[in-house]
Amino acid sequence: MAGRPSKDSPVRIDPHTGRPLPEGIRWREDRKRYQIRVLAQDADGTWKERTRTFLTLAQAKKELAKSLAGKNPDGAMTLAQWHERHWPAIAASVRPATARGYDVAWRLRVQPTLGQVRLEAMTSPLIETAMVKWSGTPSVKVDALAVLSRLLDAARRARIIDYNPAREIRRPTHGAGVSPTSRALTLEQIARLLEALPAGVYRRYAAALVYTGMRAGEATAVRVRDADLEHGIIRVSRSFSPGTHGELIEQSPKSHKDRDVPIIGALRPHVIEAIKGKGPDELLFAGPDGGRLTARNLRRAVDWEKVRDTLGRPDMRVHDLRHTFATILFDAGASAPDVQAVLGHSSLQVTERYSRAREGVARRAGSVLDAALNGTNMAQKRDVPRL
Protein backbone atom coordinates (compact mmCIF):
# COMPACT_ATOMS: atom_id res chain seq x y z
CA MET A 1 0.00 0.00 0.00
CA ALA A 2 1.40 3.32 -1.04
CA GLY A 3 2.21 5.53 1.87
CA ARG A 4 2.51 9.25 2.32
CA PRO A 5 5.34 10.70 0.15
CA SER A 6 8.48 11.55 2.08
CA LYS A 7 9.73 15.09 2.34
CA ASP A 8 12.46 14.23 -0.17
CA SER A 9 10.02 12.92 -2.77
CA PRO A 10 9.96 14.91 -6.04
CA VAL A 11 6.30 15.72 -5.44
CA ARG A 12 7.28 17.48 -2.20
CA ILE A 13 10.03 19.62 -3.78
CA ASP A 14 9.36 22.91 -5.53
CA PRO A 15 10.99 22.53 -8.98
CA HIS A 16 11.47 26.28 -9.25
CA THR A 17 13.39 26.78 -6.00
CA GLY A 18 14.50 23.26 -5.01
CA ARG A 19 13.01 23.81 -1.55
CA PRO A 20 10.50 21.58 0.26
CA LEU A 21 6.88 22.53 -0.42
CA PRO A 22 4.59 23.56 2.46
CA GLU A 23 2.51 20.85 4.10
CA GLY A 24 -0.56 20.06 2.02
CA ILE A 25 0.92 21.14 -1.33
CA ARG A 26 2.33 18.81 -3.97
CA TRP A 27 3.97 19.32 -7.37
CA ARG A 28 2.28 17.65 -10.33
CA GLU A 29 4.98 17.18 -12.95
CA ASP A 30 2.48 15.86 -15.49
CA ARG A 31 0.45 19.06 -15.27
CA LYS A 32 3.24 21.46 -14.39
CA ARG A 33 1.07 22.75 -11.56
CA TYR A 34 0.91 22.85 -7.78
CA GLN A 35 -1.77 20.64 -6.25
CA ILE A 36 -3.69 20.84 -2.99
CA ARG A 37 -6.31 18.59 -1.44
CA VAL A 38 -9.11 20.33 0.38
CA LEU A 39 -12.42 19.46 1.96
CA ALA A 40 -15.32 21.02 0.09
CA GLN A 41 -19.04 20.86 0.74
CA ASP A 42 -21.41 19.56 -1.93
CA ALA A 43 -24.70 21.33 -2.54
CA ASP A 44 -26.43 18.69 -0.38
CA GLY A 45 -24.15 19.53 2.54
CA THR A 46 -21.83 16.52 2.25
CA TRP A 47 -18.12 17.21 2.80
CA LYS A 48 -15.75 15.51 0.35
CA GLU A 49 -12.06 15.74 -0.41
CA ARG A 50 -11.31 17.57 -3.63
CA THR A 51 -8.14 18.18 -5.65
CA ARG A 52 -7.25 21.57 -7.11
CA THR A 53 -4.22 22.69 -9.09
CA PHE A 54 -2.63 26.11 -9.58
CA LEU A 55 -0.01 27.68 -11.81
CA THR A 56 1.85 29.38 -8.95
CA LEU A 57 2.81 28.39 -5.44
CA ALA A 58 1.35 31.63 -4.11
CA GLN A 59 -2.08 30.76 -5.52
CA ALA A 60 -1.92 27.25 -4.05
CA LYS A 61 -0.90 28.55 -0.61
CA LYS A 62 -3.65 31.18 -0.65
CA GLU A 63 -6.36 28.69 -1.57
CA LEU A 64 -5.12 26.15 0.95
CA ALA A 65 -5.25 28.79 3.68
CA LYS A 66 -8.78 29.75 2.70
CA SER A 67 -9.89 26.14 2.74
CA LEU A 68 -8.37 25.53 6.16
CA ALA A 69 -10.12 28.65 7.43
CA GLY A 70 -13.44 27.34 6.10
CA LYS A 71 -13.99 30.25 3.67
CA ASN A 72 -14.67 28.18 0.58
CA PRO A 73 -17.36 25.58 1.38
CA ASP A 74 -19.15 25.80 -1.99
CA GLY A 75 -16.32 25.03 -4.40
CA ALA A 76 -17.83 21.67 -5.34
CA MET A 77 -21.10 23.27 -6.39
CA THR A 78 -21.85 22.83 -10.10
CA LEU A 79 -22.40 25.75 -12.43
CA ALA A 80 -26.04 24.73 -12.82
CA GLN A 81 -26.55 24.76 -9.05
CA TRP A 82 -24.91 28.17 -8.80
CA HIS A 83 -27.07 29.46 -11.67
CA GLU A 84 -30.21 28.35 -9.83
CA ARG A 85 -29.08 30.31 -6.78
CA HIS A 86 -27.73 33.46 -8.44
CA TRP A 87 -29.79 33.89 -11.63
CA PRO A 88 -32.46 36.15 -10.03
CA ALA A 89 -29.75 38.68 -9.13
CA ILE A 90 -28.40 38.73 -12.69
CA ALA A 91 -31.86 39.04 -14.25
CA ALA A 92 -32.65 42.00 -11.99
CA SER A 93 -29.42 43.82 -12.92
CA VAL A 94 -29.87 43.96 -16.72
CA ARG A 95 -32.53 45.10 -19.18
CA PRO A 96 -35.45 42.68 -19.60
CA ALA A 97 -34.52 42.06 -23.24
CA THR A 98 -30.95 41.29 -22.18
CA ALA A 99 -32.16 38.95 -19.45
CA ARG A 100 -34.28 37.12 -22.00
CA GLY A 101 -31.27 36.73 -24.31
CA TYR A 102 -29.13 35.51 -21.41
CA ASP A 103 -31.81 32.99 -20.43
CA VAL A 104 -31.92 31.56 -23.96
CA ALA A 105 -28.11 31.45 -24.08
CA TRP A 106 -28.00 29.60 -20.76
CA ARG A 107 -30.62 27.00 -21.71
CA LEU A 108 -29.39 26.31 -25.25
CA ARG A 109 -25.62 26.69 -24.92
CA VAL A 110 -24.07 27.09 -21.47
CA GLN A 111 -26.11 24.63 -19.41
CA PRO A 112 -25.83 21.66 -21.85
CA THR A 113 -22.04 22.04 -22.15
CA LEU A 114 -20.90 23.36 -18.76
CA GLY A 115 -23.81 23.01 -16.35
CA GLN A 116 -22.40 19.95 -14.58
CA VAL A 117 -18.88 21.33 -14.18
CA ARG A 118 -17.87 22.17 -10.59
CA LEU A 119 -17.13 25.86 -10.03
CA GLU A 120 -13.70 25.02 -8.64
CA ALA A 121 -12.90 22.94 -11.76
CA MET A 122 -13.87 25.62 -14.30
CA THR A 123 -10.95 26.63 -16.53
CA SER A 124 -10.53 28.70 -19.68
CA PRO A 125 -9.57 25.67 -21.85
CA LEU A 126 -12.72 23.90 -20.66
CA ILE A 127 -14.81 26.92 -21.67
CA GLU A 128 -13.12 27.16 -25.07
CA THR A 129 -13.85 23.48 -25.71
CA ALA A 130 -17.51 24.03 -24.82
CA MET A 131 -17.75 27.05 -27.13
CA VAL A 132 -16.91 24.86 -30.12
CA LYS A 133 -20.28 23.15 -29.57
CA TRP A 134 -22.23 26.41 -29.34
CA SER A 135 -24.39 27.08 -32.38
CA GLY A 136 -25.49 30.44 -33.70
CA THR A 137 -24.06 33.78 -34.78
CA PRO A 138 -21.20 35.60 -33.01
CA SER A 139 -23.81 37.74 -31.22
CA VAL A 140 -25.60 34.81 -29.58
CA LYS A 141 -22.26 33.25 -28.61
CA VAL A 142 -21.27 36.54 -26.99
CA ASP A 143 -24.52 36.39 -24.99
CA ALA A 144 -23.64 32.87 -23.82
CA LEU A 145 -20.15 33.92 -22.79
CA ALA A 146 -21.55 37.01 -21.08
CA VAL A 147 -24.00 35.11 -18.87
CA LEU A 148 -21.27 32.59 -18.01
CA SER A 149 -18.88 35.40 -17.09
CA ARG A 150 -21.50 37.07 -14.90
CA LEU A 151 -22.09 33.81 -13.04
CA LEU A 152 -18.38 33.24 -12.48
CA ASP A 153 -17.81 36.87 -11.48
CA ALA A 154 -20.47 36.47 -8.82
CA ALA A 155 -18.82 33.24 -7.61
CA ARG A 156 -15.51 35.09 -7.37
CA ARG A 157 -17.09 37.91 -5.35
CA ALA A 158 -18.60 35.27 -3.07
CA ARG A 159 -15.05 33.89 -2.57
CA ILE A 160 -16.06 30.53 -3.99
CA ILE A 161 -13.42 30.76 -6.73
CA ASP A 162 -10.29 32.90 -6.98
CA TYR A 163 -10.72 34.24 -10.48
CA ASN A 164 -13.08 34.22 -13.43
CA PRO A 165 -11.64 32.09 -16.27
CA ALA A 166 -14.29 33.37 -18.70
CA ARG A 167 -12.50 36.73 -18.72
CA GLU A 168 -9.52 35.06 -20.38
CA ILE A 169 -11.62 34.00 -23.37
CA ARG A 170 -11.49 36.00 -26.56
CA ARG A 171 -15.00 37.12 -27.46
CA PRO A 172 -16.44 35.97 -30.79
CA THR A 173 -16.29 38.97 -33.12
CA HIS A 174 -18.70 40.26 -35.71
CA GLY A 175 -15.83 40.08 -38.16
CA ALA A 176 -16.40 36.34 -38.25
CA GLY A 177 -19.86 36.93 -39.67
CA VAL A 178 -21.26 39.02 -42.53
CA SER A 179 -19.97 42.57 -42.90
CA PRO A 180 -22.73 45.12 -42.17
CA THR A 181 -21.71 47.09 -45.26
CA SER A 182 -22.69 44.10 -47.38
CA ARG A 183 -26.18 44.23 -45.86
CA ALA A 184 -26.72 47.92 -46.68
CA LEU A 185 -29.21 48.91 -49.37
CA THR A 186 -28.24 51.09 -52.29
CA LEU A 187 -29.92 54.46 -52.85
CA GLU A 188 -31.96 52.91 -55.66
CA GLN A 189 -33.05 50.05 -53.39
CA ILE A 190 -34.09 52.53 -50.68
CA ALA A 191 -36.42 54.24 -53.16
CA ARG A 192 -37.86 50.92 -54.29
CA LEU A 193 -38.32 49.80 -50.66
CA LEU A 194 -40.38 52.87 -49.72
CA GLU A 195 -42.43 52.60 -52.91
CA ALA A 196 -43.17 48.96 -52.10
CA LEU A 197 -44.62 49.88 -48.70
CA PRO A 198 -48.18 51.20 -48.43
CA ALA A 199 -48.41 54.96 -48.01
CA GLY A 200 -49.03 55.95 -44.42
CA VAL A 201 -47.70 54.87 -41.05
CA TYR A 202 -45.58 51.93 -42.20
CA ARG A 203 -43.85 53.85 -44.98
CA ARG A 204 -43.18 56.72 -42.57
CA TYR A 205 -41.77 54.33 -39.98
CA ALA A 206 -39.45 52.67 -42.52
CA ALA A 207 -38.35 56.08 -43.82
CA ALA A 208 -37.47 57.13 -40.28
CA LEU A 209 -35.36 54.00 -39.79
CA VAL A 210 -33.42 54.25 -43.04
CA TYR A 211 -32.93 58.04 -43.01
CA THR A 212 -31.95 58.43 -39.32
CA GLY A 213 -30.32 55.12 -38.35
CA MET A 214 -32.52 54.85 -35.26
CA ARG A 215 -33.04 51.40 -33.82
CA ALA A 216 -36.60 50.16 -34.31
CA GLY A 217 -37.38 50.51 -30.60
CA GLU A 218 -36.02 54.07 -30.55
CA ALA A 219 -38.14 55.16 -33.52
CA THR A 220 -41.18 53.59 -31.85
CA ALA A 221 -40.65 55.66 -28.70
CA VAL A 222 -40.19 59.08 -30.38
CA ARG A 223 -42.79 61.64 -29.28
CA VAL A 224 -44.06 64.56 -31.36
CA ARG A 225 -42.18 67.02 -29.12
CA ASP A 226 -38.91 65.22 -29.91
CA ALA A 227 -39.10 66.33 -33.56
CA ASP A 228 -37.57 69.78 -34.05
CA LEU A 229 -38.38 70.80 -37.62
CA GLU A 230 -36.84 74.24 -37.17
CA HIS A 231 -33.39 72.80 -36.43
CA GLY A 232 -33.88 69.63 -38.48
CA ILE A 233 -33.30 67.08 -35.72
CA ILE A 234 -35.10 64.37 -33.76
CA ARG A 235 -34.15 63.93 -30.12
CA VAL A 236 -33.63 60.25 -29.21
CA SER A 237 -34.00 59.87 -25.46
CA ARG A 238 -35.98 56.67 -24.94
CA SER A 239 -36.64 53.27 -26.45
CA PHE A 240 -39.23 50.53 -26.32
CA SER A 241 -37.76 47.08 -25.71
CA PRO A 242 -39.44 43.70 -25.20
CA GLY A 243 -39.83 42.68 -21.58
CA THR A 244 -39.43 39.21 -20.11
CA HIS A 245 -42.88 38.19 -21.34
CA GLY A 246 -42.80 40.07 -24.65
CA GLU A 247 -44.44 43.25 -23.38
CA LEU A 248 -42.93 46.59 -24.50
CA ILE A 249 -41.08 48.50 -21.78
CA GLU A 250 -40.02 52.13 -22.16
CA GLN A 251 -36.44 52.77 -21.09
CA SER A 252 -33.32 54.72 -22.06
CA PRO A 253 -31.59 54.05 -25.41
CA LYS A 254 -29.13 51.16 -25.58
CA SER A 255 -26.18 53.50 -25.00
CA HIS A 256 -28.01 55.09 -22.02
CA LYS A 257 -27.31 58.50 -23.59
CA ASP A 258 -29.59 60.96 -25.37
CA ARG A 259 -28.59 61.93 -28.91
CA ASP A 260 -29.83 63.84 -31.95
CA VAL A 261 -30.47 62.35 -35.40
CA PRO A 262 -31.02 64.43 -38.57
CA ILE A 263 -34.28 65.19 -40.37
CA ILE A 264 -32.97 65.20 -43.94
CA GLY A 265 -34.98 66.53 -46.86
CA ALA A 266 -36.20 63.07 -47.88
CA LEU A 267 -37.57 62.41 -44.37
CA ARG A 268 -39.05 65.85 -43.67
CA PRO A 269 -42.39 65.28 -45.51
CA HIS A 270 -42.88 62.02 -43.59
CA VAL A 271 -42.29 63.79 -40.25
CA ILE A 272 -44.64 66.64 -41.14
CA GLU A 273 -47.35 64.16 -42.10
CA ALA A 274 -46.79 62.14 -38.91
CA ILE A 275 -47.20 65.25 -36.71
CA LYS A 276 -50.60 66.28 -38.11
CA GLY A 277 -53.42 66.17 -35.57
CA LYS A 278 -51.24 64.95 -32.68
CA GLY A 279 -50.40 66.42 -29.30
CA PRO A 280 -46.79 66.91 -28.17
CA ASP A 281 -46.70 63.77 -26.02
CA GLU A 282 -48.21 61.39 -28.58
CA LEU A 283 -46.08 58.88 -30.46
CA LEU A 284 -44.71 60.38 -33.68
CA PHE A 285 -44.54 57.10 -35.61
CA ALA A 286 -47.59 55.34 -34.19
CA GLY A 287 -49.48 52.46 -35.76
CA PRO A 288 -52.78 52.81 -37.67
CA ASP A 289 -54.77 52.80 -34.43
CA GLY A 290 -52.28 54.94 -32.51
CA GLY A 291 -50.52 51.97 -30.94
CA ARG A 292 -46.83 51.20 -30.78
CA LEU A 293 -45.08 50.07 -33.94
CA THR A 294 -42.42 47.37 -33.81
CA ALA A 295 -40.21 45.69 -36.38
CA ARG A 296 -42.36 42.57 -35.98
CA ASN A 297 -45.72 44.16 -36.70
CA LEU A 298 -44.16 46.16 -39.55
CA ARG A 299 -43.03 42.92 -41.21
CA ARG A 300 -46.42 41.34 -40.65
CA ALA A 301 -48.44 44.32 -41.90
CA VAL A 302 -46.55 44.95 -45.15
CA ASP A 303 -45.85 41.32 -46.21
CA TRP A 304 -42.11 41.53 -45.67
CA GLU A 305 -41.41 38.48 -47.83
CA LYS A 306 -42.98 40.23 -50.82
CA VAL A 307 -40.94 43.37 -50.13
CA ARG A 308 -37.79 41.24 -50.04
CA ASP A 309 -38.68 39.70 -53.40
CA THR A 310 -39.28 43.15 -54.90
CA LEU A 311 -35.77 44.25 -53.90
CA GLY A 312 -34.12 40.93 -54.71
CA ARG A 313 -32.91 40.73 -51.09
CA PRO A 314 -34.29 37.46 -49.63
CA ASP A 315 -32.31 37.90 -46.40
CA MET A 316 -33.14 41.57 -45.73
CA ARG A 317 -33.93 42.45 -42.13
CA VAL A 318 -35.51 45.59 -40.68
CA HIS A 319 -32.25 46.21 -38.78
CA ASP A 320 -30.45 46.42 -42.14
CA LEU A 321 -32.04 49.86 -42.57
CA ARG A 322 -29.81 51.06 -39.73
CA HIS A 323 -26.80 49.45 -41.44
CA THR A 324 -27.81 51.30 -44.61
CA PHE A 325 -27.88 54.71 -42.95
CA ALA A 326 -24.46 54.21 -41.35
CA THR A 327 -22.86 53.00 -44.55
CA ILE A 328 -24.28 55.88 -46.61
CA LEU A 329 -23.03 58.40 -44.04
CA PHE A 330 -19.51 57.05 -44.43
CA ASP A 331 -19.82 56.97 -48.22
CA ALA A 332 -20.89 60.63 -48.13
CA GLY A 333 -17.69 61.57 -46.29
CA ALA A 334 -18.89 61.82 -42.68
CA SER A 335 -16.21 61.31 -40.03
CA ALA A 336 -16.23 58.23 -37.80
CA PRO A 337 -16.85 60.29 -34.59
CA ASP A 338 -19.85 62.00 -36.24
CA VAL A 339 -21.29 58.67 -37.38
CA GLN A 340 -20.71 57.25 -33.91
CA ALA A 341 -22.57 60.16 -32.29
CA VAL A 342 -25.57 59.90 -34.61
CA LEU A 343 -25.86 56.12 -34.30
CA GLY A 344 -25.32 56.10 -30.53
CA HIS A 345 -22.51 53.54 -30.59
CA SER A 346 -20.47 52.96 -27.44
CA SER A 347 -17.15 52.80 -29.31
CA LEU A 348 -15.53 53.85 -32.59
CA GLN A 349 -14.55 50.22 -33.16
CA VAL A 350 -18.21 49.31 -33.59
CA THR A 351 -18.87 52.32 -35.83
CA GLU A 352 -15.95 51.68 -38.17
CA ARG A 353 -17.44 48.32 -39.15
CA TYR A 354 -19.74 50.34 -41.41
CA SER A 355 -16.95 52.11 -43.26
CA ARG A 356 -15.97 50.97 -46.74
CA ALA A 357 -12.68 52.86 -46.49
CA ARG A 358 -10.59 49.71 -46.47
CA GLU A 359 -12.34 48.25 -49.49
CA GLY A 360 -10.40 50.64 -51.73
CA VAL A 361 -7.02 50.17 -50.07
CA ALA A 362 -5.62 47.82 -52.73
CA ARG A 363 -6.77 50.11 -55.56
CA ARG A 364 -5.35 53.24 -53.93
CA ALA A 365 -2.09 51.50 -53.07
CA GLY A 366 -1.78 50.29 -56.66
CA SER A 367 -2.36 53.80 -57.99
CA VAL A 368 0.35 55.22 -55.74
CA LEU A 369 2.80 52.52 -56.78
CA ASP A 370 1.99 53.00 -60.48
CA ALA A 371 2.58 56.74 -60.16
CA ALA A 372 5.90 56.15 -58.41
CA LEU A 373 7.08 53.64 -61.00
CA ASN A 374 5.97 55.82 -63.89
CA GLY A 375 7.85 58.73 -62.38
CA THR A 376 10.99 56.60 -62.06
CA ASN A 377 10.73 55.41 -65.65
CA MET A 378 10.28 58.95 -66.93
CA ALA A 379 13.34 60.08 -64.99
CA GLN A 380 15.38 57.21 -66.38
CA LYS A 381 14.38 58.12 -69.92
CA ARG A 382 15.48 61.71 -69.35
CA ASP A 383 18.88 60.50 -68.09
CA VAL A 384 19.61 58.28 -71.12
CA PRO A 385 22.41 59.99 -73.15
CA ARG A 386 21.64 60.66 -76.79
CA LEU A 387 24.02 59.33 -79.42
Side-chain angles (χ1 to χ4, degrees):
M1 179 176 177
R4 184 177 180 180
S6 68
K7 64 179 181 179
D8 297 324
S9 171
V11 300
R12 295 293 313 281
I13 303 298
D14 189 340
H16 299 102
T17 64
R19 299 176 181 175
L21 289 168
E23 186 68 28
I25 300 179
R26 305 285 186 271
W27 173 252
R28 288 291 301 269
E29 180 64 26
D30 55 338
R31 298 187 182 181
K32 302 298 183 185
R33 283 174 169 261
Y34 297 93
Q35 176 183 287
I36 65 172
R37 289 185 179 275
V38 298
L39 284 178
Q41 191 178 35
D42 280 335
D44 60 4
T46 304
W47 287 87
K48 296 181 180 179
E49 190 175 56
R50 302 288 183 184
T51 298
R52 298 190 64 187
T53 60
F54 303 88
L55 284 173
T56 68
L57 178 59
Q59 291 174 332
K61 291 168 67 175
K62 180 180 178 181
E63 187 59 31
L64 182 62
K66 284 171 56 178
S67 177
L68 294 175
K71 294 181 179 178
N72 190 10
D74 293 322
M77 182 183 298
T78 66
L79 181 67
Q81 290 168 332
W82 177 242
H83 172 272
E84 184 177 358
R85 177 187 297 187
H86 191 67
W87 169 248
I90 293 178
S93 67
V94 298
R95 290 170 177 260
T98 302
R100 187 169 59 178
Y102 282 177
D103 182 54
V104 172
W106 165 259
R107 288 186 289 103
L108 299 185
R109 296 172 182 86
V110 183
Q111 185 180 27
T113 55
L114 295 168
Q116 298 309 308
V117 177
R118 302 192 314 272
L119 292 176
E120 64 186 10
M122 193 72 67
T123 63
S124 52
L126 196 62
I127 296 171
E128 289 170 337
T129 301
M131 288 177 64
V132 174
K133 302 176 184 177
W134 293 354
S135 61
T137 64
S139 293
V140 299
K141 292 179 182 180
V142 166
D143 278 350
L145 197 55
V147 69
L148 172 62
S149 187
R150 282 180 175 269
L151 286 167
L152 295 178
D153 261 342
R156 179 188 57 80
R157 292 194 302 271
R159 302 184 184 279
I160 297 173
I161 56 177
D162 288 328
Y163 78 108
N164 175 4
R167 290 188 173 273
E168 300 175 344
I169 307 299
R170 184 176 180 179
R171 266 51 179 169
T173 62
H174 292 280
V178 178
S179 167
T181 59
S182 69
R183 303 198 65 91
L185 304 180
T186 64
L187 294 178
E188 186 268 339
Q189 286 175 326
I190 292 174
R192 286 168 53 200
L193 166 69
L194 296 180
E195 288 175 3
L197 300 178
V201 295
Y202 297 113
R203 183 183 293 178
R204 290 197 291 265
Y205 184 59
L209 297 178
V210 77
Y211 288 140
T212 69
M214 286 188 288
R215 300 175 179 90
E218 293 171 342
T220 299
V222 170
R223 309 283 179 179
V224 170
R225 55 183 162 84
D226 296 323
D228 185 346
L229 290 171
E230 181 180 352
H231 295 94
I233 59 171
I234 293 175
R235 189 69 170 168
V236 181
S237 60
R238 63 188 72 83
S239 177
F240 281 125
S241 298
T244 306
H245 304 292
E247 74 282 12
L248 290 180
I249 299 175
E250 184 175 313
Q251 51 198 357
S252 64
K254 188 175 180 179
S255 62
H256 301 292
K257 294 180 181 179
D258 295 358
R259 71 182 194 280
D260 295 334
V261 297
I263 301 177
I264 65 172
L267 177 61
R268 192 177 183 87
H270 295 287
V271 174
I272 292 174
E273 190 65 28
I275 289 175
K276 288 182 180 178
K278 294 180 180 177
D281 289 318
E282 292 186 62
L283 296 176
L284 181 63
F285 301 110
D289 57 356
R292 301 168 181 174
L293 278 175
T294 65
R296 177 177 296 181
N297 57 34
L298 167 67
R299 293 193 302 267
R300 185 172 57 247
V302 303
D303 191 353
W304 193 250
E305 292 301 323
K306 184 177 179 180
V307 174
R308 284 173 163 176
D309 292 341
T310 300
L311 270 65
R313 292 287 302 270
D315 62 341
M316 185 179 67
R317 308 166 305 180
V318 173
H319 193 67
D320 290 339
L321 303 185
R322 176 171 164 84
H323 293 326
T324 298
F325 175 79
T327 302
I328 290 176
L329 272 187
F330 269 119
D331 289 349
S335 68
D338 284 349
V339 178
Q340 178 190 9
V342 174
L343 290 176
H345 284 152
S346 57
S347 71
L348 274 176
Q349 183 179 8
V350 175
T351 304
E352 287 173 347
R353 294 170 50 228
Y354 297 91
S355 173
R356 283 196 256 247
R358 293 190 178 184
E359 294 181 9
V361 168
R363 186 177 63 254
R364 294 194 299 271
S367 298
V368 171
L369 186 57
D370 279 340
L373 291 174
N374 288 336
T376 300
N377 292 336
M378 291 298 293
Q380 289 174 345
K381 290 180 180 179
R382 289 195 298 269
D383 293 341
V384 173
R386 295 182 179 179
L387 297 178

